[in-house]
Amino acid sequence: MTFHVTEEQKHKLRQYLETAGFSFEPRPNQDFLARNDTLVVNLYSSGKIVFGGSNKAGIQELTEFLLSIGSVDRAEKEKEYPPIPVSGTRIGTDEAGKGDYFGPLVVAGVLITAETEKELSIRGVRDSKTLAETTISNLAFEIKRLLSKEDYAVIWISPAKYNILYQKVGNLNKILGWAHARAIENILRAGTDCKVAIADQFGDKRYIETALMRNGREIELVQLPKAERDRAVAAASILARDTFVGKLRELGERYDTLFPKGSSNVVTFGTQFVKEYGVDALLDVAKVHFSITREITGGLVPRVSEDLKTDW
């Protein structure tokens, strides 16, 4: 994976690596080469970053840091996708927390018009994966201020409810389809005349289509890779990520801790959490069907009590 950083981001990267205990070596045409026992980071004068090594968790952690400061994966940046053939009034949906072991699953939907699309563009709304968390928080506030409350919907599924749903259906895409459909339905319920919805490709589009109810049955669903390049989906990705971060923080306040994001570097934290609160407490804070659960517990996966019920 190859990233690119600005001059300001170069400074932040060096500070991060210094704090993490990396040593630095001068190299021709490079700002530096930084290394520790398992990871090497090459920063070139152009701003290009190339890193490698055997520490997959360390690479993932560095990747998350680079994304948090606004760096962009060059391969993704340079890859060209055809324009999405949709304009005007439309709904965009996106999710957050799908790959995070701790915390909820969140799906957001945003309805935009040609006029609000221009305003979102001026404010710099784009795929949340390319934005730092403070920027995401600020943009989420701007999106909610710009749009009416009927023009966006956020569906969040707590870890406890997520585990109930997953134990019932055994399929993440079915849960995602239901949540995307609910976000679309909640927006359409206000009576807005909208004929099309766009969602990122996470599985067969029928997962969403079959979950749509009366208000959404007539809408055209467009589902395709990298849908966040559409402004409505990008706005939804920002609301979803901002909600995920906020709910994860609230979860941490309940347990007087700070839950890690992602699914790497969580085993040590999870093991300590289980020592303090017990295996069953994972049902309240984590997506326990992840294989990480067995690493944390030594092979045991807690199950939801059969008498617990939930409504779709």
Side-chain angles (χ1 to χ4, degrees), residues 220-238:
E220 177 190 359
L221 177 64
V222 178
Q223 197 171 11
L224 68 174
K226 293 297 292 180
E228 297 91 346
R229 63 190 189 274
D230 177 81
R231 199 78 61 184
V233 181
S237 78
I238 289 171

Side-chain angles (χ1 to χ4, degrees), residues 64-111:
E64 291 175 0
F65 170 76
L66 290 169
L67 291 173
S68 75
I69 63 172
S71 180
V72 178
D73 180 359
R74 288 176 68 92
E76 287 295 330
K77 184 178 181 181
E78 294 166 3
K79 185 174 181 180
E80 292 188 3
Y81 291 88
I84 297 176
V86 178
S87 61
T89 301
R90 61 195 183 275
I91 295 171
T93 63
D94 201 23
E95 71 275 344
K98 178 175 65 175
D100 293 83
Y101 180 65
F102 292 108
L105 177 67
V106 184
V107 172
V110 171
L111 182 142

Side-chain angles (χ1 to χ4, degrees), residues 204-222:
D204 192 307
K205 64 189 296 186
R206 285 175 294 182
Y207 284 118
I208 298 178
E209 288 176 334
T210 57
L212 286 168
M213 294 163 53
R214 179 174 59 85
N215 290 322
R217 286 288 164 84
E218 301 302 319
I219 202 165
E220 177 190 359
L221 177 64
V222 178

